Amino acid sequence: MTTAFPPLPNGPEFNAAFETFDGAAPDPAGDTQRQEAVIDAGLRSLDHCMPIQHEHEHEHAAVVSAHAKAKTKREGDSADRASLPLSLRPHKRALPKWRYDLRQRTLPLIRWETPYLAWVQAKLRSPALDSYFAITANLGTHTFFMIGLPIMFWCGFASFGKGLVHILASGVFFTGFIKDFFSLPRPLSPPLHRITMSGSAALEYGFPSTHSANAVSVAVYAVLCLWSPENPFQPKTKLALEGLSYFYAVSIVLGRLYCGMHGFVDVIIGSIMGAAITLIEFYYGPPLDLYMQQNGWTPLLIAVLTIIVLVRVHPEPADDCPCFDDSVCFAGVMIGLEVGTWHFGRSPYAAIPFDLHALGWAAVILRVLFGVFVVFVWREVAKPTLLKTLPHIFRLIETWGLSLPRRFFTPASKYNKIPLRLKVDNVLPSMSDLPGLITAVRHPKRGRSVSIGPQSAADAYETLAYRERRRKESNASLRSKASIQELGKDQAGCSSAVSSGQQKPSDFEKQMGQGTVVVSPATPRKVDGEPELYIGQQDELGEKEVFSKLIKPRVRYDVEVITKLVVYAGIAWFAVEGVPILFEFIPGLGAGHLQSR
């Protein structure tokens, strides 16, 4: 979410005037004179086209350096953190040292692969492939599976559907767990162009790829089920479906690379995770389900508590990333699924068969429409009800010294009420979102965007970090040049390589860190104040650049976690038990009369 901001001037004069920023807040004495100043953290990369420094650049640098030194004397040990590069401060401050060290050791691999990804993307780009991979990416999203999976339970494929829910929910949860743990950014844009139909996807971290995990897990599970001895399909049908499964997985995985949303490491690790989760589910899932069904409520209670504990220990991200929200939603799905199937399996309704030929296509379509309607009604009613009532309970719990200590969630004692139409997640669309989804399906080009530039705080900080690294390398390179003429030859060679169209990965590497990111310093009254970031995104399809303020995501409330757990547990319960039972009370939709045949 961004707000419009007037475009800033470009050119060497602007760059020269605002080129130095070391993370220190301005001196309060001069705050009135610099209140509206926006300090550029390097609007243009100077690694290979650095202009000759003007005298007033050095003067400005000296002023900012003097402020930084004064701040160091005033704040003592806290200045060690403040003196770190701006692009590293959020992660250094937010992550424990051992997690931060792991992140810094892994980050060079993400940076190394980026120019190769950009080179491959530039070689393959075409309008047809842009549309194809942007559209097929929707087949690996949470929304697609949340709408499609309940149909399995209403059309006689409950066992297969439960296995799919297990692997998909586990994939979303554990990839989100690792994303927040490492807090690694997506490959930089530029040089990559990001092609997507979902604006929220770019707000998440990149490692590992949830799309790849979902696609590979579904494909592997389908292949294992197809070649199971109990499968009734003919060999030719099995072969065709197996080929379709492979094609689906390859399209999603390659599409994440083509669209510039993930790197090689992201999709490889995501695919491995998806395959591993599927193998565990296929071989150990049915025996575990049978054990839970035969041993009362104790195993069920242990399973539910285990899921809640996993939600509680989910790592805190360095940035405000929505991965935790998705993980909580699918944790709720798992709770509702286990409770619903356990109870439904002990009821007489579990013995009612499903027969497509006896019911007819009209009845089956009506069953699906009715089931989807019930799920949406539950969500539209339960969410605002919980958001209205839970804050009172949470405030009472806070008086006992208990709370949900997550960094980006506001405790109930610090707000009065929550907007009832608040969009708390992107997993399942609301009723108001349906027209937009239909339009996106009917006119995919309208929903597709191709953007160049940072799209999230993680992108912006990584752009600054890489730019800082290149500047240090550039300064060393400049000192090694014998003359201005020698430097000019290097720049001319760089320009001719780009203009000739014979680009190599090294040419794309020179574009890394050139995304438009401008930094306005934090409020001087706050020692740990976060700076404001301004980013420039170029819309390739609209041929325009939008310069906007990168604001923090909406305020999130502590009650949202319980709200998501309850709402999505209810969705799963209705899918596996509530709706199948309701079918039997609606004339024409039930299948109980088939039981007596």
mmCIF file of all heavy atoms in Angstrom, residues 431-447:
data_model
loop_
_atom_site.group_PDB
_atom_site.id
_atom_site.type_symbol
_atom_site.label_atom_id
_atom_site.label_comp_id
_atom_site.label_asym_id
_atom_site.label_seq_id
_atom_site.Cartn_x
_atom_site.Cartn_y
_atom_site.Cartn_z
ATOM 1 N N MET A 431 -16.691 -11.437 -0.065
ATOM 2 C CA MET A 431 -17.722 -11.248 -1.083
ATOM 3 C C MET A 431 -17.408 -10.047 -1.976
ATOM 4 O O MET A 431 -17.633 -10.078 -3.184
ATOM 5 C CB MET A 431 -19.088 -11.055 -0.404
ATOM 6 C CG MET A 431 -19.632 -12.304 0.264
ATOM 7 S SD MET A 431 -20.149 -13.533 -0.962
ATOM 8 C CE MET A 431 -21.004 -14.710 0.116
ATOM 9 N N SER A 432 -16.890 -8.991 -1.392
ATOM 10 C CA SER A 432 -16.588 -7.784 -2.160
ATOM 11 C C SER A 432 -15.443 -7.977 -3.141
ATOM 12 O O SER A 432 -15.288 -7.196 -4.086
ATOM 13 C CB SER A 432 -16.266 -6.625 -1.212
ATOM 14 O OG SER A 432 -15.149 -6.941 -0.396
ATOM 15 N N ASP A 433 -14.616 -9.013 -2.923
ATOM 16 C CA ASP A 433 -13.480 -9.267 -3.812
ATOM 17 C C ASP A 433 -13.868 -10.076 -5.045
ATOM 18 O O ASP A 433 -13.103 -10.149 -6.006
ATOM 19 C CB ASP A 433 -12.370 -10.022 -3.069
ATOM 20 C CG ASP A 433 -11.780 -9.204 -1.949
ATOM 21 O OD1 ASP A 433 -11.731 -7.971 -2.094
ATOM 22 O OD2 ASP A 433 -11.382 -9.800 -0.929
ATOM 23 N N LEU A 434 -15.030 -10.717 -5.026
ATOM 24 C CA LEU A 434 -15.404 -11.627 -6.113
ATOM 25 C C LEU A 434 -15.496 -10.936 -7.474
ATOM 26 O O LEU A 434 -15.026 -11.498 -8.470
ATOM 27 C CB LEU A 434 -16.720 -12.330 -5.770
ATOM 28 C CG LEU A 434 -16.657 -13.297 -4.581
ATOM 29 C CD1 LEU A 434 -18.028 -13.946 -4.365
ATOM 30 C CD2 LEU A 434 -15.605 -14.370 -4.809
ATOM 31 N N PRO A 435 -16.100 -9.735 -7.590
ATOM 32 C CA PRO A 435 -16.122 -9.090 -8.913
ATOM 33 C C PRO A 435 -14.735 -8.871 -9.493
ATOM 34 O O PRO A 435 -14.516 -9.067 -10.690
ATOM 35 C CB PRO A 435 -16.849 -7.765 -8.645
ATOM 36 C CG PRO A 435 -17.685 -8.024 -7.448
ATOM 37 C CD PRO A 435 -16.881 -8.965 -6.598
ATOM 38 N N GLY A 436 -13.794 -8.469 -8.644
ATOM 39 C CA GLY A 436 -12.434 -8.268 -9.124
ATOM 40 C C GLY A 436 -11.785 -9.560 -9.576
ATOM 41 O O GLY A 436 -11.048 -9.588 -10.577
ATOM 42 N N LEU A 437 -12.055 -10.666 -8.866
ATOM 43 C CA LEU A 437 -11.508 -11.957 -9.274
ATOM 44 C C LEU A 437 -12.072 -12.396 -10.614
ATOM 45 O O LEU A 437 -11.357 -12.917 -11.476
ATOM 46 C CB LEU A 437 -11.813 -13.008 -8.210
ATOM 47 C CG LEU A 437 -11.063 -12.874 -6.882
ATOM 48 C CD1 LEU A 437 -11.563 -13.923 -5.897
ATOM 49 C CD2 LEU A 437 -9.565 -13.023 -7.096
ATOM 50 N N ILE A 438 -13.372 -12.193 -10.799
ATOM 51 C CA ILE A 438 -14.001 -12.573 -12.070
ATOM 52 C C ILE A 438 -13.431 -11.748 -13.220
ATOM 53 O O ILE A 438 -13.137 -12.264 -14.298
ATOM 54 C CB ILE A 438 -15.526 -12.396 -11.972
ATOM 55 C CG1 ILE A 438 -16.101 -13.369 -10.937
ATOM 56 C CG2 ILE A 438 -16.186 -12.619 -13.329
ATOM 57 C CD1 ILE A 438 -17.573 -13.159 -10.643
ATOM 58 N N THR A 439 -13.236 -10.455 -12.977
ATOM 59 C CA THR A 439 -12.652 -9.598 -14.009
ATOM 60 C C THR A 439 -11.234 -10.033 -14.345
ATOM 61 O O THR A 439 -10.834 -10.042 -15.519
ATOM 62 C CB THR A 439 -12.642 -8.134 -13.532
ATOM 63 O OG1 THR A 439 -13.986 -7.730 -13.251
ATOM 64 C CG2 THR A 439 -12.042 -7.220 -14.588
ATOM 65 N N ALA A 440 -10.464 -10.416 -13.326
ATOM 66 C CA ALA A 440 -9.081 -10.849 -13.560
ATOM 67 C C ALA A 440 -9.037 -12.128 -14.392
ATOM 68 O O ALA A 440 -8.130 -12.320 -15.209
ATOM 69 C CB ALA A 440 -8.372 -11.061 -12.231
ATOM 70 N N VAL A 441 -10.021 -13.013 -14.200
ATOM 71 C CA VAL A 441 -10.065 -14.255 -14.978
ATOM 72 C C VAL A 441 -10.505 -13.987 -16.411
ATOM 73 O O VAL A 441 -9.945 -14.515 -17.372
ATOM 74 C CB VAL A 441 -11.007 -15.273 -14.302
ATOM 75 C CG1 VAL A 441 -11.206 -16.490 -15.198
ATOM 76 C CG2 VAL A 441 -10.451 -15.687 -12.956
ATOM 77 N N ARG A 442 -11.521 -13.112 -16.578
ATOM 78 C CA ARG A 442 -12.037 -12.821 -17.918
ATOM 79 C C ARG A 442 -11.078 -11.954 -18.714
ATOM 80 O O ARG A 442 -10.975 -12.086 -19.933
ATOM 81 C CB ARG A 442 -13.387 -12.128 -17.799
ATOM 82 C CG ARG A 442 -14.492 -12.998 -17.219
ATOM 83 C CD ARG A 442 -15.796 -12.229 -17.129
ATOM 84 N NE ARG A 442 -16.222 -11.752 -18.451
ATOM 85 C CZ ARG A 442 -17.254 -10.932 -18.637
ATOM 86 N NH1 ARG A 442 -17.950 -10.491 -17.599
ATOM 87 N NH2 ARG A 442 -17.583 -10.543 -19.854
ATOM 88 N N HIS A 443 -10.387 -11.035 -18.050
ATOM 89 C CA HIS A 443 -9.462 -10.126 -18.736
ATOM 90 C C HIS A 443 -8.125 -10.152 -17.998
ATOM 91 O O HIS A 443 -7.813 -9.252 -17.220
ATOM 92 C CB HIS A 443 -10.026 -8.706 -18.753
ATOM 93 C CG HIS A 443 -11.406 -8.601 -19.311
ATOM 94 N ND1 HIS A 443 -11.665 -8.681 -20.662
ATOM 95 C CD2 HIS A 443 -12.609 -8.452 -18.695
ATOM 96 C CE1 HIS A 443 -12.966 -8.556 -20.872
ATOM 97 N NE2 HIS A 443 -13.566 -8.425 -19.690
ATOM 98 N N PRO A 444 -7.322 -11.196 -18.214
ATOM 99 C CA PRO A 444 -6.087 -11.354 -17.433
ATOM 100 C C PRO A 444 -5.100 -10.212 -17.589
ATOM 101 O O PRO A 444 -4.339 -9.924 -16.680
ATOM 102 C CB PRO A 444 -5.505 -12.672 -17.971
ATOM 103 C CG PRO A 444 -6.167 -12.887 -19.302
ATOM 104 C CD PRO A 444 -7.523 -12.271 -19.187
ATOM 105 N N LYS A 445 -5.118 -9.529 -18.736
ATOM 106 C CA LYS A 445 -4.160 -8.437 -18.926
ATOM 107 C C LYS A 445 -4.442 -7.263 -18.004
ATOM 108 O O LYS A 445 -3.549 -6.501 -17.657
ATOM 109 C CB LYS A 445 -4.173 -7.976 -20.387
ATOM 110 C CG LYS A 445 -3.514 -8.979 -21.335
ATOM 111 C CD LYS A 445 -3.352 -8.400 -22.723
ATOM 112 C CE LYS A 445 -2.637 -9.369 -23.659
ATOM 113 N NZ LYS A 445 -2.447 -8.818 -25.011
ATOM 114 N N ARG A 446 -5.722 -7.111 -17.611
ATOM 115 C CA ARG A 446 -6.056 -6.017 -16.702
ATOM 116 C C ARG A 446 -5.501 -6.260 -15.304
ATOM 117 O O ARG A 446 -5.166 -5.329 -14.590
ATOM 118 C CB ARG A 446 -7.579 -5.852 -16.622
ATOM 119 C CG ARG A 446 -8.224 -5.420 -17.916
ATOM 120 C CD ARG A 446 -9.717 -5.190 -17.708
ATOM 121 N NE ARG A 446 -10.400 -4.927 -18.964
ATOM 122 C CZ ARG A 446 -11.715 -4.748 -19.067
ATOM 123 N NH1 ARG A 446 -12.465 -4.773 -17.967
ATOM 124 N NH2 ARG A 446 -12.267 -4.529 -20.242
ATOM 125 N N GLY A 447 -5.451 -7.525 -14.898
ATOM 126 C CA GLY A 447 -4.969 -7.838 -13.557
ATOM 127 C C GLY A 447 -3.481 -8.064 -13.489
ATOM 128 O O GLY A 447 -2.920 -8.168 -12.405
#
